[in-house]
Amino acid sequence: MRLPTVDDFTSATVTDTYDDMISPPGLTNHWAVAQVDHDVVAVRSLNVPPISQGDSVSARLYLDGALAQASGQGVDVAWRPDRVTRSTAVNGWRVETVTVCPPGQPAVLVRIDVTNDGPDRELRLGLWIDSTVTRSGKPWLRAEPPQAPNRLEADGARRWGIPDGDDAVSLQGLLGSPDGLVTDGGRVIEVAVDLASGQHATYWYAHAIAGDRDAALAAWDAIEADPEGAVEAARETWNHELAAMFTPDNEIFEGHLPALETDNDALRELYWWGAMGTLWFRRTNPASVLGTVYDTLMPRYWQTTTFIWDYSLSSWVHAQLEPDVMRRQILHWVGLDINSHFGTEWVTGHPVGYWYSVNQYALVRLTADYVRFTGDVDFLDVEVEGPDGSTRSMIDHVRDWSLAWQDKRNPSGLADYGGIDNLLECVSTYVHEVASLQAANVWSMRTAAELSRLRGETAEAERLEAEAEALLPKVLELYRPGDGFFDARYPDGTRHATRHCYDFATVGTTIAADLPEEQRAEMVRFFEAELRSPSWMRALSPKDGDAGFSVRPDHQWNGAYPAWPADAGRASIALGGRAGVMEWVEGLRRTTRQGPPGQAHFVEEAAPTVDGGARKAPGQYPYLIDWACSSAGSWCEFIVGGVLGVEVGIDGAVTAEWPSDVAGSLTISTASGDTVLSSPPA
C-alpha cells in the first residue's frame, strides 16, 4: 500500500484579500496551535495550553514604512499538514514565506524571503508586534482562549510580552542579529538594508510562549540554532505520523487504520482526508490531565475542549487508532453528568457548556465501537462511579443511556429533546420531538441488547429489543409520506416540517432496514433534490420555513458541518441511493483541497468554490466557524462502511460483499484478526 505524505494533502492556492471570505489555515505540532492571518507574515491564535495568546495577531508586515496589507495586494496561500506557504508582491518587492510549528516547541516559526524585482534600492522591512499572553488558573470554558493586556519590552530584534502577575511570557521577533536593525524599541521591529535588483534577503520570525522567561528562551535558542532544520523536522514528523496511521505495530499509535488500495482516486483521497483530519486534532500536551486527547475545533475556537457529539462522529477512527485513549475518554465522561454539558476540557477535566441531547446516543456508539474493534468485552464489567456517587458496571451505564429517552417521554410516547441550544443551535424549528434522535433510541437499545448478549445476558437483551420494537412505529409516525422528510412534534401536539439533513442522515444510518421501500426511495429523492450539491450539501433545505433564521453554515441552508455529507452519504447508500452517491464522490473530492475538513463549508450558491470544491466558512461574525473540526473521521467510515459496505459486528466479525463498481482491496484488523477484502479478478 502506498502511504500518504504531506504532499498528498497540498491544498489549492487561495488568494486572500483584505476582509475576504477566507478562513486562513492553521498549524499544529500537537502541542502548539497557530493560525496564519490575512497577511503574508502575520500569525494569530498561538496557544499552548495552559499558556495562551487568545486570538491576538502579531507580525503584520510593513514594507517601505507602510503596512503591507494596506497596499490592496492579495496574498496567495497554500497549506500542507507541516507548513503554510504565502506570497505577495508589493511595490516591486516579492515576499514569500513558509510557516511551521516546530516539533516539540511551544512556538511558531516563519521564514521570510524578500526579492527585489525593482531597481537597486533600500529594503525597509518591519513586523508589527502584539502580545496578549496569559496563563489562566481556571478551566477554559469559553470559545475564545484566554488573553490579557501585556506590556512589551524591547530586546534588540526581539520583544517580550509580559502580563500583570508575570505568570506567562511571549518572546517574538527576528532570529539572529539581522543587519540594518532599526532599534527604536517600538512595536515595529524594522530592518533597513540595500538590495540590488534581483537580490533577495532572508529573515526568520519566531514566536514562543511559555510560563517563564527561561522556558521561552530555551525554545527560542533551540529554534535559532537551526531554523531550516525546524522546517524540515516538521515535514519529517508529519510524514512519519501519517504513515504510522496505516502501519501495523507502529511506534506512535496503539492501533492503525485499515489499509485501502484502490485506483479510484476520489475514494482514496476522501478516506485519507478523514484520517489526516482526525490526526490534526491529536493533543499530546503534558498539561492535559487526561493524557493524550483529541480537541474538537482548532485553531481559533474551543481549544482544550472535546465535545462528546463530535468525538463520537469519528468513533470509527478512534476505536481502531487509539482505543486506550478512547477508553479513558469514555470513562471520564461516565463520571460526569452528561445531562448538563456538551463536553469536557482537558486542562482540568471540567465539564463545559450546556446539555447536548445527542450525548446518550453518542456514548452508546462510542462504547459499542470500542468493544467491536478491540474485543475488550471485559470493559463492560468495569465498575465506574457515576455523577450521583453510585458505582455501576459499564454495561449498566450503556443500558441506562439507551433507555434515557424514557425520562424525557411526552404523552405521544416520544422523547422531548429540548430547545434550540440542545440540538442544532441555529435552526429554531428543529426542537422537541425530532425524528433523528428517536431513531437513534431504537438503534441504541438494539446495540445495548447486542452488548448484553456478548455477556450472556439474554433476558436483558430481549427486554431491550422489545422496547426498541415498541418504539419504532412511534418514530415512523413523524414521517411525511410522499415528501421524503419528517416533522418535529412540539409539546402542544403541533407538527412542524423539518427539511434537515440530520433526520435524513441519522434515520438512514440507524433504522434504514426498518423503513418501507417507498419511504426509502422518497427520502433519497428529497436528499438529491434539496440537500445534495455538486461538491458538498446544504444542511437545511432552502425550502424549509426556518431557512431565514440564521446564516451559520454548519446547520443551515448555506452549507453543512463536515460530518453531514459523510453521514448523509452512508444513509443514502443504506436507503438505496448508491448510484447517486457514486456520482457525488468526485465532487466531494474537490472539497478536500483546503486542509482538513472545516467546521462548515459553504454550499456553492453561498460562496465561490475553491478549485471546484466547497469553500470553508470563515471565523468572523456572523459565521463564527473554525478552520477545522475533528469529526473528520466520519469520512473514513463513509468510505469503508458506506461505499465499500464493510460491517464489523459487535463481536468483531467482519462481513462485506465487495461492490462491483469499485476496484481494490482493504485490510481491516479487529480482535478477531486481519480480514482482507478485495474486488473479484477482472
Side-chain angles (χ1 to χ4, degrees), residues 42 61 115 161 273 356 433 448 457 468 559 574 619:
L61 178 66
T115 302
W273 192 44
Y356 272 0
E433 294 179 23
E457 296 178 296

mmCIF file of all heavy atoms in Angstrom, residues 42 61 115 161 273 356 433 448 457 468 559 574 619:
data_model
loop_
_atom_site.group_PDB
_atom_site.id
_atom_site.type_symbol
_atom_site.label_atom_id
_atom_site.label_comp_id
_atom_site.label_asym_id
_atom_site.label_seq_id
_atom_site.Cartn_x
_atom_site.Cartn_y
_atom_site.Cartn_z
ATOM 1 N N ALA A 42 1.980 37.532 9.118
ATOM 2 C CA ALA A 42 1.336 37.556 10.434
ATOM 3 C C ALA A 42 0.769 36.199 10.845
ATOM 4 O O ALA A 42 0.343 35.384 10.017
ATOM 5 C CB ALA A 42 0.227 38.603 10.450
ATOM 6 N N LEU A 61 3.153 42.623 8.457
ATOM 7 C CA LEU A 61 4.297 43.093 7.675
ATOM 8 C C LEU A 61 4.176 44.572 7.318
ATOM 9 O O LEU A 61 3.118 45.038 6.882
ATOM 10 C CB LEU A 61 4.412 42.279 6.391
ATOM 11 C CG LEU A 61 5.537 42.685 5.434
ATOM 12 C CD1 LEU A 61 6.904 42.428 6.056
ATOM 13 C CD2 LEU A 61 5.399 41.952 4.105
ATOM 14 N N THR A 115 12.508 39.361 -2.320
ATOM 15 C CA THR A 115 13.278 39.557 -3.551
ATOM 16 C C THR A 115 12.961 40.928 -4.129
ATOM 17 O O THR A 115 11.787 41.332 -4.207
ATOM 18 C CB THR A 115 12.938 38.463 -4.580
ATOM 19 O OG1 THR A 115 13.206 37.184 -4.013
ATOM 20 C CG2 THR A 115 13.769 38.644 -5.850
ATOM 21 N N GLY A 161 6.617 39.888 25.711
ATOM 22 C CA GLY A 161 5.278 40.254 26.133
ATOM 23 C C GLY A 161 5.038 39.693 27.518
ATOM 24 O O GLY A 161 5.234 38.485 27.751
ATOM 25 N N TRP A 273 -8.323 11.931 3.683
ATOM 26 C CA TRP A 273 -8.756 13.233 4.222
ATOM 27 C C TRP A 273 -9.331 13.052 5.625
ATOM 28 O O TRP A 273 -9.006 13.799 6.551
ATOM 29 C CB TRP A 273 -9.793 13.819 3.284
ATOM 30 C CG TRP A 273 -10.158 15.257 3.483
ATOM 31 C CD1 TRP A 273 -9.321 16.305 3.705
ATOM 32 C CD2 TRP A 273 -11.474 15.826 3.417
ATOM 33 N NE1 TRP A 273 -10.029 17.494 3.784
ATOM 34 C CE2 TRP A 273 -11.351 17.224 3.605
ATOM 35 C CE3 TRP A 273 -12.746 15.288 3.206
ATOM 36 C CZ2 TRP A 273 -12.461 18.082 3.606
ATOM 37 C CZ3 TRP A 273 -13.848 16.139 3.187
ATOM 38 C CH2 TRP A 273 -13.697 17.520 3.395
ATOM 39 N N TYR A 356 -26.140 18.739 25.425
ATOM 40 C CA TYR A 356 -26.484 18.370 24.062
ATOM 41 C C TYR A 356 -27.312 17.094 24.132
ATOM 42 O O TYR A 356 -26.898 16.097 24.741
ATOM 43 C CB TYR A 356 -25.232 18.113 23.229
ATOM 44 C CG TYR A 356 -24.646 19.328 22.549
ATOM 45 C CD1 TYR A 356 -25.204 20.592 22.680
ATOM 46 C CD2 TYR A 356 -23.520 19.209 21.740
ATOM 47 C CE1 TYR A 356 -24.660 21.697 22.041
ATOM 48 C CE2 TYR A 356 -22.962 20.301 21.092
ATOM 49 C CZ TYR A 356 -23.534 21.542 21.256
ATOM 50 O OH TYR A 356 -22.981 22.629 20.614
ATOM 51 N N GLU A 433 -39.556 16.905 19.759
ATOM 52 C CA GLU A 433 -39.577 15.518 19.279
ATOM 53 C C GLU A 433 -39.061 15.467 17.838
ATOM 54 O O GLU A 433 -39.819 15.597 16.884
ATOM 55 C CB GLU A 433 -40.989 14.945 19.347
ATOM 56 C CG GLU A 433 -41.529 14.786 20.757
ATOM 57 C CD GLU A 433 -42.954 14.230 20.757
ATOM 58 O OE1 GLU A 433 -43.356 13.573 19.776
ATOM 59 O OE2 GLU A 433 -43.677 14.462 21.738
ATOM 60 N N ALA A 448 -27.403 -1.889 22.755
ATOM 61 C CA ALA A 448 -27.250 -2.308 24.151
ATOM 62 C C ALA A 448 -27.646 -3.772 24.313
ATOM 63 O O ALA A 448 -27.052 -4.505 25.127
ATOM 64 C CB ALA A 448 -28.087 -1.418 25.060
ATOM 65 N N GLU A 457 -26.287 -12.166 28.781
ATOM 66 C CA GLU A 457 -27.480 -11.662 29.466
ATOM 67 C C GLU A 457 -28.652 -11.621 28.482
ATOM 68 O O GLU A 457 -29.086 -10.568 28.018
ATOM 69 C CB GLU A 457 -27.204 -10.276 30.054
ATOM 70 C CG GLU A 457 -26.134 -10.305 31.136
ATOM 71 C CD GLU A 457 -25.830 -8.921 31.683
ATOM 72 O OE1 GLU A 457 -25.337 -8.080 30.916
ATOM 73 O OE2 GLU A 457 -26.101 -8.693 32.874
ATOM 74 N N ALA A 468 -37.269 -1.561 21.799
ATOM 75 C CA ALA A 468 -36.947 -0.962 20.507
ATOM 76 C C ALA A 468 -38.072 -1.194 19.501
ATOM 77 O O ALA A 468 -38.463 -0.278 18.757
ATOM 78 C CB ALA A 468 -35.628 -1.526 19.977
ATOM 79 N N GLY A 559 -24.755 25.837 3.820
ATOM 80 C CA GLY A 559 -23.591 24.972 3.943
ATOM 81 C C GLY A 559 -23.895 23.783 4.826
ATOM 82 O O GLY A 559 -25.058 23.466 5.112
ATOM 83 N N ALA A 574 -27.525 3.248 2.335
ATOM 84 C CA ALA A 574 -28.369 2.318 3.091
ATOM 85 C C ALA A 574 -29.823 2.378 2.640
ATOM 86 O O ALA A 574 -30.551 1.380 2.725
ATOM 87 C CB ALA A 574 -28.265 2.625 4.578
ATOM 88 N N GLY A 619 -14.165 32.553 10.175
ATOM 89 C CA GLY A 619 -14.363 32.626 11.619
ATOM 90 C C GLY A 619 -15.082 33.857 12.102
ATOM 91 O O GLY A 619 -15.541 33.894 13.246
#
